[in-house]
Amino acid sequence: QTFADVGSADWYAQPISIAVKAGIVTGKSANSFAPNAQITREEMVTMMMRAYAINKSESVAGTSASSFSDEDNVSPWALKYVREAASLQFVNGREAGKFVPSGVSTRAEAAAILTRILAE
């Protein structure tokens, strides 16, 4: 898959290509990846859980139970991954009982989740 906003000479072109082929990420649309866009918490968790499942070579046995009081705000495509990450204790709420799915993720949050995944 090619994206109009990712040139073959861009430093991130190969990692994006690998992640797309592996099914870890998708574009913002059929022809746009938005490589410089900020990432939301639900996008970050979705990518990390897809990578986790690939790394473990198995599907993740998550829960279908609600973990966060603002779960109704999680996009349908991300809900499964948010629930799985919460059930495995990879992700915590940002506020008391709230996931804040459309909040911009920080590098610290990503590092914390990666550390929890790698310790698994």
Side-chain angles (χ1 to χ4, degrees):
Q1 182 174 355
T2 58
F3 298 107
D5 55 357
V6 178
S8 60
D10 292 335
W11 68 266
Y12 45 76
Q14 185 178 16
I16 288 173
S17 177
I18 292 167
V20 168
K21 286 178 186 173
I24 296 169
V25 299
T26 60
K28 288 286 192 178
S29 69
N31 64 354
S32 174
F33 188 80
N36 296 311
Q38 292 181 325
I39 188 169
T40 65
R41 288 173 49 82
E42 67 183 3
E43 289 171 330
M44 177 192 61
V45 167
T46 296
M47 291 188 302
M48 289 189 178
M49 292 308 296
R50 287 174 178 163
Y52 175 77
I54 290 168
N55 190 47
K56 289 290 186 181
S57 299
E58 59 190 49
S59 70
V60 178
T63 179
S64 61
S66 176
S67 298
F68 302 106
S69 62
D70 63 345
E71 192 173 85
D72 289 346
N73 297 328
V74 177
S75 298
W77 52 263
L79 186 57
K80 168 186 179 229
Y81 302 108
V82 170
R83 286 178 173 171
E84 289 172 351
S87 72
L88 293 169
Q89 298 180 347
F90 292 159
V91 66
N92 300 311
R94 203 177 247 183
E95 304 169 14
K98 293 186 178 183
F99 179 66
V100 190
S102 60
V104 174
S105 189
T106 66
R107 293 170 56 88
E109 288 170 330
I113 292 172
L114 283 171
T115 299
R116 293 176 193 134
I117 287 173
L118 292 172
E120 163 68 16

